[in-house]
Coordinates of all heavy atoms in Angstrom, one line a residue:
N5 N -5.8 -4.8 -5.7 CA -5.1 -6.0 -6.2 C -3.8 -5.5 -6.8 O -3.9 -4.6 -7.7 CB -6.0 -6.8 -7.1 CG -5.3 -8.1 -7.5 OD1 -4.3 -8.1 -8.2 ND2 -5.7 -9.2 -7.0
L6 N -2.8 -6.1 -6.4 CA -1.4 -5.7 -6.9 C -1.1 -6.4 -8.2 O 0.0 -6.1 -8.8 CB -0.4 -5.9 -5.9 CG -0.5 -5.2 -4.6 CD1 0.4 -5.8 -3.6 CD2 -0.3 -3.7 -4.8
G7 N -2.0 -7.2 -8.7 CA -1.7 -7.8 -10.0 C -0.9 -9.1 -10.0 O -0.6 -9.7 -8.9
R8 N -0.4 -9.6 -11.1 CA 0.2 -10.9 -11.2 C 1.7 -10.9 -11.1 O 2.3 -12.0 -11.3 CB -0.3 -11.7 -12.4 CG -1.9 -11.8 -12.3 CD -2.4 -12.7 -13.3 NE -2.1 -14.1 -13.2 CZ -2.6 -15.0 -12.3 NH1 -3.3 -14.6 -11.3 NH2 -2.1 -16.2 -12.4
N9 N 2.3 -9.8 -11.0 CA 3.8 -9.7 -10.8 C 4.2 -10.4 -9.5 O 3.8 -10.0 -8.5 CB 4.2 -8.2 -10.8 CG 5.6 -8.0 -10.9 OD1 6.5 -8.8 -10.3 ND2 6.1 -7.0 -11.3
P10 N 5.1 -11.5 -9.6 CA 5.5 -12.2 -8.5 C 6.3 -11.3 -7.4 O 6.2 -11.6 -6.2 CB 6.4 -13.4 -9.0 CG 6.7 -12.9 -10.4 CD 5.7 -12.0 -10.9
L11 N 6.9 -10.3 -7.8 CA 7.6 -9.4 -6.8 C 6.6 -8.5 -6.1 O 6.8 -8.1 -5.0 CB 8.6 -8.6 -7.6 CG 9.6 -9.3 -8.3 CD1 10.7 -8.4 -9.0 CD2 10.5 -10.2 -7.4
M12 N 5.5 -8.2 -6.7 CA 4.4 -7.5 -5.9 C 3.8 -8.2 -4.7 O 3.3 -7.5 -3.8 CB 3.3 -6.9 -6.9 CG 3.7 -6.0 -8.0 SD 4.7 -4.6 -7.3 CE 3.4 -3.6 -6.7
G13 N 3.8 -9.5 -4.8 CA 3.4 -10.2 -3.6 C 4.2 -9.9 -2.4 O 3.5 -9.8 -1.2
Y14 N 5.3 -9.5 -2.5 CA 6.2 -9.1 -1.3 C 5.7 -7.7 -0.8 O 5.7 -7.5 0.3 CB 7.6 -9.1 -1.6 CG 8.1 -10.6 -1.9 CD1 8.2 -11.1 -3.1 CD2 8.5 -11.3 -0.8 CE1 8.7 -12.4 -3.3 CE2 8.9 -12.7 -1.0 CZ 9.0 -13.1 -2.2 OH 9.5 -14.5 -2.5
W15 N 5.5 -6.9 -1.8 CA 5.0 -5.5 -1.4 C 3.6 -5.6 -0.7 O 3.3 -4.9 0.2 CB 4.8 -4.7 -2.7 CG 4.3 -3.3 -2.3 CD1 3.2 -2.7 -2.8 CD2 4.8 -2.3 -1.5 NE1 3.0 -1.5 -2.3 CE2 4.0 -1.3 -1.5 CE3 6.0 -2.3 -0.7 CZ2 4.2 -0.1 -0.7 CZ3 6.2 -1.1 0.1 CH2 5.3 -0.1 0.0
G16 N 2.8 -6.7 -1.0 CA 1.5 -6.9 -0.3 C 1.6 -7.0 1.1 O 0.7 -6.6 1.8
F17 N 2.7 -7.5 1.7 CA 2.9 -7.5 3.1 C 2.9 -6.1 3.8 O 2.5 -6.0 4.9 CB 4.3 -8.2 3.5 CG 4.4 -9.6 3.4 CD1 5.2 -10.2 2.5 CD2 3.5 -10.4 4.0 CE1 5.3 -11.6 2.4 CE2 3.5 -11.8 4.0 CZ 4.4 -12.4 3.1
F18 N 3.3 -5.1 3.0 CA 3.4 -3.8 3.6 C 2.3 -2.8 3.1 O 2.1 -1.6 3.6 CB 4.8 -3.1 3.1 CG 6.0 -4.0 3.5 CD1 6.6 -4.8 2.5 CD2 6.4 -4.2 4.9 CE1 7.6 -5.6 2.9 CE2 7.3 -4.9 5.2 CZ 8.1 -5.6 4.3
M19 N 1.6 -3.3 2.0 CA 0.6 -2.5 1.4 C -0.5 -1.9 2.3 O -0.8 -0.7 2.3 CB -0.1 -3.1 0.2 CG -0.9 -2.2 -0.6 SD 0.1 -0.9 -1.4 CE -1.0 -0.1 -2.3
E20 N -1.0 -2.6 3.2 CA -2.1 -2.2 4.1 C -1.6 -1.0 4.9 O -2.2 0.0 5.0 CB -2.7 -3.2 5.0 CG -3.8 -2.9 5.8 CD -4.4 -4.0 6.5 OE1 -4.5 -5.1 6.1 OE2 -5.0 -3.7 7.7
D21 N -0.4 -1.2 5.5 CA 0.0 -0.3 6.4 C 0.5 1.0 5.7 O 0.2 2.2 6.1 CB 1.3 -0.7 7.3 CG 0.9 -1.8 8.3 OD1 -0.3 -1.7 8.7 OD2 1.8 -2.5 8.8
A22 N 1.1 0.8 4.6 CA 1.6 1.9 3.7 C 0.4 2.7 3.3 O 0.4 4.0 3.3 CB 2.5 1.5 2.6
Q23 N -0.6 2.0 2.7 CA -1.8 2.8 2.2 C -2.6 3.5 3.3 O -3.2 4.5 3.1 CB -2.6 1.9 1.3 CG -3.7 2.6 0.4 CD -3.0 3.6 -0.5 OE1 -1.9 3.6 -0.9 NE2 -3.9 4.4 -1.1
T24 N -2.8 2.8 4.5 CA -3.5 3.4 5.5 C -2.8 4.7 5.9 O -3.5 5.7 6.2 CB -3.6 2.5 6.7 OG1 -4.2 1.3 6.4 CG2 -4.2 3.2 8.0
A25 N -1.5 4.7 5.9 CA -0.8 6.0 6.3 C -1.0 7.1 5.2 O -1.2 8.2 5.6 CB 0.7 5.7 6.5
E26 N -1.0 6.7 4.0 CA -1.2 7.6 2.9 C -2.7 8.1 2.9 O -2.9 9.3 2.7 CB -1.0 6.9 1.5 CG -1.2 7.9 0.3 CD -0.4 9.1 0.3 OE1 0.8 9.1 0.8 OE2 -0.7 10.2 0.0
L27 N -3.7 7.3 3.3 CA -5.0 7.8 3.4 C -5.1 8.7 4.5 O -5.8 9.8 4.4 CB -6.0 6.6 3.7 CG -6.2 5.6 2.5 CD1 -7.2 4.5 2.9 CD2 -6.6 6.2 1.3
E28 N -4.4 8.5 5.7 CA -4.5 9.5 6.8 C -3.8 10.8 6.4 O -4.4 11.8 6.7 CB -3.8 8.8 8.0 CG -4.6 7.7 8.6 CD -3.9 6.9 9.6 OE1 -2.6 7.1 9.8 OE2 -4.5 6.1 10.3
R29 N -2.8 10.8 5.7 CA -2.1 12.0 5.3 C -3.0 12.9 4.4 O -3.2 14.0 4.5 CB -0.8 11.7 4.6 CG 0.4 11.5 5.4 CD 1.7 11.5 4.7 NE 1.8 10.4 3.8 CZ 2.2 9.1 4.0 NH1 2.5 8.8 5.3 NH2 2.3 8.2 3.1
S30 N -3.6 12.1 3.5 CA -4.6 12.7 2.5 C -5.8 13.3 3.2 O -6.2 14.5 2.8 CB -5.0 11.8 1.5 OG -4.0 11.4 0.5
L31 N -6.3 12.7 4.2 CA -7.4 13.2 4.9 C -7.0 14.5 5.7 O -7.7 15.4 5.7 CB -8.0 12.2 5.9 CG -8.8 11.1 5.2 CD1 -9.4 10.1 6.3 CD2 -10.0 11.7 4.5
G32 N -5.8 14.4 6.2 CA -5.3 15.7 6.8 C -5.2 16.9 5.8 O -5.5 18.1 6.1
R33 N -4.7 16.6 4.6 CA -4.7 17.6 3.5 C -6.1 18.0 3.0 O -6.5 19.2 2.8 CB -3.9 17.1 2.3 CG -2.4 17.0 2.7 CD -1.6 16.8 1.3 NE -1.9 15.5 0.6 CZ -1.3 14.3 0.8 NH1 -0.2 14.3 1.7 NH2 -1.6 13.3 0.1
L34 N -7.1 17.1 3.1 CA -8.4 17.4 2.8 C -9.0 18.4 3.9 O -9.6 19.4 3.6 CB -9.4 16.1 2.9 CG -10.9 16.3 2.6 CD1 -11.2 17.0 1.2 CD2 -11.5 15.0 2.8

């Protein structure tokens, strides 16, 4: 949850793709 900051709601549109990419990079480093 990105919290109650109204500007974070806009980041929410990109969070799933951005975090999925970060998880994939981290699994490569693992």
